[in-house]
Amino acid sequence: MFDGFELTRREGDGARLRVRHGGAGPPVLLLHGHPRTHVTWHRVAPLLVAAGHTVVCPDLRGYGESEKPPTDERHRPYSKRAMAADCVAVMRRLGHERFAVVGHDRGAYVATRLALDHPRSVVALSVLDAVPIGEALRRCDAEFAARWWHWFFLGQTAKPAERVINADPDAWYKGSAEGMGAEAFEDYRRAIHDPATVHAMCEDYRAGLGVDREHDDADHERGRRIGCPVQVLWATRDDLADLYGDVPGVWRPWVDGPLEGGPVESGHHMAEEAPGPLAEALLSFWRRA
């Protein structure tokens, strides 16, 4: 995997991250989702490098082999604001002041927060299988709660989810070497079998229901918007379109600049299932942006 890439540890803004980077050209930051690590991008990153980009893939704070800071009563160390600050710090340490950002799943919330909090750093934003956290929770209904119940199970603390997950992580997460590739599967499996990582991933969801929503709602009330071009992609075999219908329409109140989007023929983990079409969609967007 990642032939020609360098694997390093870099200081973020309060957490040291495991980072894979390589290539030459305009920089791109790729942010994974739950419960993956940066290795989820192993089929996409080489395609972007071959097309003339520098690619940086970190494990988000708490995930994979990145540092897992102690939490607090409001779960602020696992807020998307904290994770986004890590990413900006890492990119600057690698010499990249301005860059495109791609985020999938939980990484999409980090990417969105990065574009809102650090607008001078982000030249283009691509979000995969996500709408803003505040938007999702404002629109939450019985259908959302039934389909995305894990948000509330992982996010509550009265009966912590860690005990259930750690009893059998393989059964809970259901990844496979056939779908992910053997090396990627082993990296993922090391992560999900680490109780500290499982706890940190739950903290991500706890922050999502509290402080992250507060940050999104505050921006929404102030009319704070994303100024760079935004691309929204969703998997045809996932449920984002079922839940929201006009997915780009959900994003429109959050975006001042150009906004475009469309489906990718794939299941939820499109970087693993449809790397070619995903890479082409990203490259086409960046050429226009």
Side-chain angles (χ1 to χ4, degrees):
M1 295 187 301
F2 292 102
D3 187 33
F5 281 69
E6 183 179 356
L7 182 62
T8 64
R9 300 292 194 278
R10 299 282 175 163
E11 292 296 333
D13 185 44
R16 188 172 178 83
L17 307 188
R18 180 174 67 154
V19 182
R20 188 98 55 167
H21 57 98
V28 178
L29 174 66
L30 304 182
L31 303 178
H32 64 85
H34 170 268
R36 298 310 203 243
T37 72
H38 79 276
V39 175
T40 194
W41 300 107
H42 74 101
R43 292 170 176 155
V44 172
L47 301 177
L48 303 182
V49 167
H53 287 272
T54 297
V55 176
V56 180
C57 310
D59 288 351
L60 295 171
R61 90 162 42 191
Y63 283 78
E65 296 181 17
S66 284
E67 194 172 4
K68 298 149 179 58
T71 193
D72 64 19
E73 72 285 354
R74 300 196 64 227
H75 318 289
R76 285 171 293 196
Y78 292 89
S79 70
K80 307 311 156 290
R81 176 160 285 161
M83 292 182 179
D86 282 336
C87 293
V88 170
V90 165
M91 292 299 280
R92 287 175 178 165
R93 288 188 169 92
L94 291 171
H96 309 306
E97 293 292 331
R98 288 173 56 77
F99 46 88
V101 184
V102 182
H104 174 252
D105 186 78
R106 304 303 290 185
Y109 309 132
V110 179
T112 300
R113 180 48 50 195
L114 202 161
L116 286 164
D117 285 359
H118 307 274
R120 295 183 180 178
S121 296
V122 181
V123 299
L125 170 66
S126 296
V127 289
L128 316 183
D129 269 346
V131 301
I133 288 177
E135 202 71 49
L137 291 172
R138 267 195 306 279
R139 294 164 178 256
C140 180
D141 58 13
E143 182 179 9
F144 179 90
R147 290 180 183 233
W148 289 34
W149 61 273
H150 64 281
W151 271 33
F152 309 102
F153 176 63
L154 298 174
Q156 55 81 40
T157 57
K159 296 182 179 180
E162 289 91 332
R163 183 174 180 182
V164 175
I165 297 169
N166 290 329
D168 192 344
D170 294 309
W172 177 264
Y173 287 116
K174 300 183 183 301
S176 73
E178 291 75 18
M180 300 171 68
E183 290 179 84
F185 177 69
E186 286 306 313
D187 188 86
Y188 146 88
R189 198 163 181 271
R190 283 195 301 274
I192 66 171
H193 279 262
D194 177 5
T197 300
V198 171
H199 173 62
M201 292 192 294
C202 290
E203 285 294 299
D204 172 4
Y205 281 83
R206 290 163 188 153
L209 296 182
V211 65
D212 290 332
R213 182 182 189 179
E214 291 173 13
H215 294 158
D216 277 12
D217 287 352
D219 286 338
H220 184 74
E221 290 170 10
R222 292 198 301 265
R224 190 180 185 197
R225 296 171 177 239
I226 299 166
C228 68
V230 175
Q231 177 188 46
V232 183
L233 299 174
W234 59 93
T236 56
R237 296 193 296 278
D238 205 357
D239 58 4
L240 208 68
D242 294 339
L243 287 169
Y244 299 111
D246 178 13
V247 179
V250 178
W251 279 92
R252 173 44 66 193
W254 292 80
V255 178
D256 266 342
L259 170 66
E260 62 181 69
V264 175
E265 183 62 38
S266 176
H268 178 61
H269 294 287
M270 59 181 80
E272 298 165 7
E273 300 176 42
L278 175 57
E280 182 49 46
L282 295 173
L283 292 166
S284 177
F285 171 60
W286 295 333
R287 285 191 289 268
R288 294 189 298 278

